[in-house]
Amino acid sequence: MATTPPFQLTRIMDSNDDMTFGQGLQNFATGAQACAQNVVTRLRSYLGEWFMDTSFGMAWLQDVFTKPEQQALVEADMKAIILNTVGVNSIKSFTFSQTDRSVSVRVSVDTLYGTIEGIQVNI
């Protein structure tokens, strides 16, 4: 018997990464769209940024931009964040590139809602 994936409801972010308002339920994403946005939001979160759980987030300032020689550790941390996102089953592809002041991550994931291709995060 097939099971129904858990219901996800996430407020849609606009092109400036601000939450959208004023259009009722049209301002919310569900299913694959919500899952993809949650992956992006979780990767963009800085370690210690959330006051209710200071262990949540990526160590951008502590590890990524200060210790570029630890790329394997950084990639493992990013993959763990992605895999711990609700609805994500596995990572299908993962590309990471870094310069002195920027990071680019491109990932495709298999989720409860199907495959999501080309999730892009730039920091």
Side-chain angles (χ1 to χ4, degrees), residues 52-65:
M52 292 185 73
D53 182 359
T54 56
S55 67
F56 177 81
M58 184 68 202
W60 292 109
L61 300 174
Q62 296 85 350
D63 293 335
V64 180
F65 292 120

Side-chain angles (χ1 to χ4, degrees), residues 66-101:
T66 58
K67 303 172 187 171
E69 69 278 359
Q70 295 185 352
Q71 183 173 344
L73 177 63
V74 168
E75 287 184 16
D77 287 347
M78 287 181 189
K79 289 177 181 178
I81 287 172
I82 294 166
L83 289 171
N84 285 317
T85 302
V86 173
V88 173
N89 293 328
S90 64
I91 297 172
K92 295 187 73 156
S93 67
F94 179 88
T95 306
F96 171 82
S97 62
Q98 180 176 1
T99 63
D100 288 341
R101 295 184 177 193

Side-chain angles (χ1 to χ4, degrees), residues 26-48:
Q26 292 177 349
N27 290 122
F28 291 90
T30 59
Q33 182 184 8
C35 190
Q37 184 170 304
N38 288 337
V39 168
V40 171
T41 301
R42 288 172 54 84
L43 283 175
R44 286 184 177 165
S45 297
Y46 283 70
L47 182 64

Side-chain angles (χ1 to χ4, degrees), residues 6-12 25 27-31 34-35 38 113:
F7 183 72
Q8 287 193 27
L9 186 68
T10 302
R11 188 166 290 277
I12 295 173
L25 289 177
N27 290 122
F28 291 90
T30 59
C35 190
N38 288 337
Y113 313 99

